[in-house]
Each structure stands twice: as structure tokens, then as C-alpha cells.
Amino acid sequence: MATFTFTPHIASRPTLSSSSKRKPKFNSIKTTKVSLQTSPPSLSDPFVLQLAETLEDSLPSSSLPFPLQKLRESSAETLLSTPWPSRRDEAFRFTDVSFIKQSQIHPISNPPQSSQLSSIPVETQFANVVIIDGHFVDSVSNLTELPNGVYVGSFIDLPSHSIAKRVSEFVDGKFVGDLFWSINGVGAPDLTVVYVPAGCKVENPIHFRYFSINGGEEGSKELAVSNPRVLVLVENGGEIEIIEEFLSGDGGRSYWANPVLEVVIGCGGKVKHSYIQNQSLNAAHIKWTSVQQESTSAYELVEISTGGKLSRHNVHIQQLGPETMTELSTLHLSVGNQTQDLHSSLVLDHPRGYSRQLHKCIVANPQGQAVFDGNVKVNRYAQQTDAGQLTRSLLLEPRATVNVKPNLQIIADDVKCSHGAAISDLEETQLFYFQARGIDLETARKALIFSFGAEVIERLPSTSVQKRVENHIKELLNTTLERS
Amino acid sequence: MAYCSSSSTTSASPVVRYLPSNSTSSTTSTFSPLPFRSNRRRSVRIATASLSPVNSPSTSFSGSQKNLLLEVKDLTAVIAESKQEILKGVNLVVYEGEVHAIMGKNGSGKSTFAKVLVGHPDYEVTGGSILFKGSDLLEMEPEERSLAGLFMSFQSPVEIPGVSNIDFLNMAYNARRRKLGLAELGPIEFYAYIFPKLDLVNMKTDFLNRNVNEGFSGGERKRNEILQLAVLGAEMAILDEIDSGLDVDALRDVAKAVNGLLTPNNSVLMITHYLRLLEFIEPSRIHIMEDGKIVKTGDISIAKLLEEEGYKAISTA
Ligand SMILES: Nc1ncnc2c1ncn2[C@@H]1O[C@H](COP(=O)(O)OP(=O)(O)OP(=O)(O)O)[C@@H](O)[C@H]1O
Ligand SMILES: [Mg+2]
């Protein structure tokens, strides 16, 4: 029996109160002076403390530049009062992270040795950044053809003092995510920066390749944790396309990638972001993407996630000025015993904003699961906003599970919002149409399943990435469907 | 709390489609029309209503050299879900090269009969037999029936979002070629093959890049069905109300295309409500269906009588 939960949750003015009840209460003696951002307040969680200590110990603290030092300290402080999430927390109700807790976690303190670099395939098409186990590795990256004034590299190597100062404003920003966000803040060995000066339109994409080469053998309890952290700062009128690709590494190694990406887009700026997650089926992959958009800027995300035993993408987007555009398209594919989770929150605070979210997931395994919690908040001053959200799930196995909670909260009154959710198996009448034209059932099924995902894949800006993703998904579906 | 649970695979609760700005999926492969298009235009000139198909009513049953194509005997069928009986003993014999028509009131079972012939899963056959080219059709999967040369154009063909028309046709055509032991055609070779067929049904090239039937007008869907017939070919084509929803010019186009596909060996079974189509594609036999049975068979004069006086003129009662 397939199960799903689904909450079309459109709260308009009268239910405003529902959001206020989540305000943190600071009645605990222990935590009052620690951090104002945590909720609910509680005593320190011994597991989290130990994890934080291990991470801190693994990194040299003396040489850190001031902003990173500050980030590490504030993150550590937050961790003091943040417990490890349980299924009782609304945000983790359907996403079980206990397998991380039950593993032996060890940080990867040192950048990879040069002997380990030979396995990194050379990429010639785009300017590219290689991040291995959280460490930016200059020697295998290729950043030779960047336009004037554009910087891509480690924070420490920033050439200009003024840019470093500018970037520093955002290193330890206002936004604080959940526990995993703070773990990254403590454990990030470095900060990789992409800086696009005002008015500069970077023509070619920057390709981020993240490799996880340390990790336990398949089936072991070892979990090597890495905390890559990247900040993209696009000044007014600047434009750039970035491709983030998380690769599997060899075999089914167990590791925990805990990356954070922050994107700051100035007025009229534009960022196209592709995110492809294809990690080992024994890995945990928990990512944060936080985006701040000034007025009239545009941000487009296309995500394709197929890897990981536990994969979660937390997306937080804040529109900071009027006439701002945000488009999110995601495709999650769960062909194994795996969870694919998207938790997104989009806040529209200003007039004439525009947002579109399309989330699609395919669950093709009886033990597979997809989770979607998509919150779009259209606040009081966001008049004449046009916000759309659509989620569609395809369950190919009778016991496959999907939990979707599309959630549009509208407080402004002059808005155009649309909203929808559908969960289905393949349509029998469509399958029959193929058969009636001589096409066998298996081919028909594949074509329909693939076309379901194609709607998102087609939105990847780079055609070469599109082709690669297409082939990868076809391969995954082929092996899965042939097994069943 | 805010979640509610249910336990069904198919629940399509409130679906609000939103169309992202770039959702017209016509971008994939844009072929430019070949330069020799107009020179090679196939001219299928058929003077109105003059084409008399290779057979005539008087010879079709006596002609000893004619081969039996389809033989339906006492066919009964129910709706799979409700077990309600719709076909109550249908008998029909079609020889190679013949054109037949089935007429009958709304709801009399014409479409059901057509769909049962091609193996639609909504229906269950409960009795009788169907022989097609000597083989038991009821033993064959729908795709095998198609590959064996049976084609039905749907009264209301379904939309298939995400699958482009040309990919769909290419898949179907390659399934045919595989069956014949021929090499499959890649997209470019296939395009060269299909291009001339577009003229046949007067369809624009951009239809190929649109998703199958998605957003097609009624008439466009019918043309698309005939295009599929033209691409795949068939020994027996069942055309379910190919004329409904067509304007006069479109009707002429479609009829012309069907006539163009007729050979001495293949047959057509048309389902229609109107004499007009029968004047374009002349049938040798017209059957009247009533309450799941064929109750009368005759020549074009039945259709004329129907047109003038309605079903009461030929009622069995
Ligand atoms: N899948 C189905 N589910 C329920 N009822 C059905 C189904 N298929 C056919 N019927 C019913 O069976 C009867 C015959 O339908 P059918 O579509 O064969 O009629 P028809 O002769 O083609 O009519 P029309 O001229 O209107 O196209 C109708 O009463 C119809 O409602
Ligand atoms: Mg009908």
C-alpha cells in the first residue's frame, strides 16, 4: 500500500496567528545569554557538544582570518543550545537522521594529498572549482579564464583588501539555519568565494565539483564528515551561472557531506544555479542554500538529486526588495532505499515579486521516500506578488512513500497565487495509447517516467549538463525498472 | 497536525496547473524544413466522392480470391470495473480491401467495439471470438495487435505531456521495424521519412515538436491520428468518428489521406454519424449497431435513409 501525506495549506490573513506560536520562548535560565536564534531552548545535547568539539579540534584555529573565526564562534555558540533533531521535530518528522548519530563520525582535517588527486578527472569545458572533502584544491581547479575583477577562490587568498572587507559583511550573516547549518559553520575549514563586481556579466558558468574521497567502506559504521562552504557575492547588475555538482566518489562509501552555499545578489543582479546531487547511496548529504536577493534581481535554481541514502536540501530565499524574481525547479529521484528531502522556504516581503516553484519526485523503490516541505510566505507589503507552487509525485511501487506539504502563506491581499499538488502512478490510458501504436509496456513506462522528470531537466541552463543528467537518470531508471 | 494521511496510490487532489514561462517544450530539436518540400509535395488528387474503392458490394462476398481479414463472432464484452455488459453478441466479417462503416445511436457500443478489438484494458471479453488474419486476436497483447496490422484511431485520443509527437512516432515506427527485423531509425533519418507524410494530412512541422495531443484542437487530434496511420500503416484501420469536430476542409483533407492509404489489400472500418464522410470514403457495407449488437447491414442507402428519417426508420422494433 502506498502512503502519502499531503497538506494543501493555504493560510491567508485569518490564520496569521499560526505562525506566531512558533516564536521562541526564552524562559530557560541556562540559555538566555547564549543565542537568540535557537528554538526551542534546551540544555546542551551531549552528542552535539561532542561533535562540535571534535570538529573544532580537527581544525587549526590560530591562522583563521577574523570573519571565519567569528563565524566559527557564533556557530559553536548556537550549537550549545541546539539538540540533535528527532522525529518529534516538525522539520524532521519524515526525515530520519538517526543513522548519522549512530555512526562513528570523524572530521577530515587535512586537504587531500597530491597522490589522491590523480583520480580527479580533468574538466575542460568550464572554469571550475574542485572541492575535496570540504577543502578547496587550487591545483586541480581551473580558473584561468575569468573576466577582469571576478574572483573565484579561497577567502584567504582574496587579492584586494576592499573586496575582502565587502565579503566579510556576509560571512557571518543574519540568517541562521538549523543544526546542520551551524555544524558547517564550526567545521568549515575554509570559505570559497565567488565575487562578481557590479555590472559584470560573466558569460561562462563556473562549475563546482565536490568530491568525497574519504569515507567508510560500504556497510561500515565510519562516517567521514566534510563541511564545504561557498559564498557567492554578485554586486549590483552582475550576472553569473554556477553549477554545483556533488559526485559520488568510488564505490558505495559512507560519508556525510554537510555543505553550505550562500548567495547574495545585488540590485538587478542575476544568478542561475544548477545543483546536481549524485552522491554514494550510503552517504548522508545535507545541504543548505541560502539566498538573499536585492530588488529586481533574479535567482533560478534547478536541482536534480538522485544520490545519497539520506539527502536533504534546505533552501532559504529572502526577497529583499521589489520586483524580484525567484524560480525553483527540483527533481528528486529515489530508486533505492533512500530518502530525498526538500525543505524550502521563500519569503516575499516587497511589492511585485514573482516566484515559481516546481517540485517533482519519483519514488521507484518500496523502501524509497520523498519528502517535500515547501513554504512560500507572501507578507503584508508584498502586494501584486505573483507566486506559484506546484508539486507532483510519481509513485512507481505500491509501498513507496511520499510526504508533501506545499504551503503557501498569504498575508498581502492583492496577490496572484496558484498552488497544486498531485500524486499518482502512471496513467493507464496513456500507457495504452503507446501499446495501441505497437510500443511495448516497458518502453512505454520508461518513456512516461522519463518525460515526467524531463520537465525539470530541460530547465538546466547548460546543454552538456542536461545531456549528462539525462543519461544518468535513464541509466538509473533502466536498472531499477528492469529489476522490478 | 497539518498533515493528513491517506492510503491510495492514485489521488489527484487539487491540481492547479501552472505554466512556467518557458514551458512550451518545443525547443528540443528544431528541424528546418527541407528545401525541396514543395517540389516533392505528394499529390493525391481525388475528385470529390468519386473514388470507388477497389471492391464493390456485389463482388465482396462472391469474389473467391478475396481473403478474410477480420471475423468477429458472437462477441460479448463487459466493462472491466462494473461488469456491465456493453457488447451483446457482435458479428462482423471484413475481407481484404473492403471499406465498412458502423453507424448507430450514441451509446450503442460502437466505440466499445472498436476498443475491444484493439485490446483496451477497460473492457473484458466474456464470450465469442475474433480472428484477424487467421490468428486469435484475443490471445494477443495490445501492442502485438498493433504490430500485426490493426490500427484504431481514437475518438478522443489522450494527451501525453512530456513526450513529443516526433519521439512518440519514432518509437512506434521503430517498434514496427524491430518486428520486421529492420534497423531502427535515428531521429534524423526518421525525420526524413516522416516529413513527406505531413503534407498528406496538411499538418505543420511544428506539430512534431509539440507533446502528443497536448493542447491540440479537436481537428488537430484527428489529423494527428491519421498521421500516425500514415506513418505506421495498417491492414485494418478502425476510424472512430474521424469526422467529428472537423470543418469541411479538414474533413476533405482527412478523407483524402485515408483514401490515399487504401490499397487493394487493406481495409477500413469507419465509425460515423454522418453521411458526409461516407460520400468521401465510400463503404461497401454499412452496419447499424443498436444496444451492443449489429442489427442491420446494407449499402449506402441505409445511411441515406438515416440522414433523412433518423433511426426510427430502420429500427428493429
Ligand atoms: N469505460 C467505461 N466506463 C463506463 N461506462 C462505459 C465505459 N465504456 C463505455 N461505457 C458505456 O457503454 C455504452 C457504450 O459506449 P460507447 O462509447 O461504446 O458508445 P458509442 O456507440 O461509441 O457512442 P457515441 O456515438 O456517443 O460515441 C455507453 O452507455 C457508455 O456510457
Ligand atoms: Mg463512440
Side-chain angles (χ1 to χ4, degrees), chain A residues 429-445:
Chain A
T429 50
Q430 293 181 349
L431 287 170
F432 180 70
Y433 197 67
F434 280 85
Q435 287 181 287
R437 299 299 176 247
I439 301 162
D440 64 274
L441 205 52
E442 195 185 301
T443 311
R445 276 176 69 82

Side-chain angles (χ1 to χ4, degrees), chain B residues 79 86 105-112 122-123 155 241 273:
Chain B
I79 296 170
I86 305 293
K105 288 184 192 165
N106 293 132
S108 56
K110 304 179 298 296
S111 295
T112 303
D122 281 359
Y123 309 97
Q155 184 174 353
E241 296 201 20
H273 289 290

Side-chain angles (χ1 to χ4, degrees), chain A residues 1-2 4-7 90 93-94 356-358 390 405 419-421 423 430 432-433 435-438 448 451 459, chain B residues 2-6 8-9 11 13-14 16 18 20 119-121 143 146 151-152 159-160 162 172 175 213 225 228:
Chain A
M1 202 176 34
F4 69 88
T5 56
F6 159 56
T7 326
E90 183 62 22
R93 192 157 158 206
F94 299 102
R356 283 290 177 274
Q357 178 168 33
L358 171 66
L390 179 69
K405 187 182 172 190
H419 170 92
I423 295 163
Q430 293 181 349
F432 180 70
Y433 197 67
Q435 287 181 287
R437 299 299 176 247
L448 283 178
S451 73
R459 296 181 186 189
Chain B
Y3 287 90
C4 59
S5 303
S6 160
S8 136
T9 24
S11 163
S13 304
V16 179
Y18 86 67
H120 198 287
E143 65 269 29
S146 164
F151 180 96
M152 178 187 70
E159 293 187 1
I160 308 187
N213 294 323
E225 294 288 292
Q228 293 178 5

Side-chain angles (χ1 to χ4, degrees), chain B residues 77-86 122-124 126:
Chain B
V78 299
I79 296 170
E81 214 171 71
S82 64
K83 306 292 177 214
Q84 184 198 342
E85 186 165 72
I86 305 293
D122 281 359
Y123 309 97
E124 241 167 54
T126 47

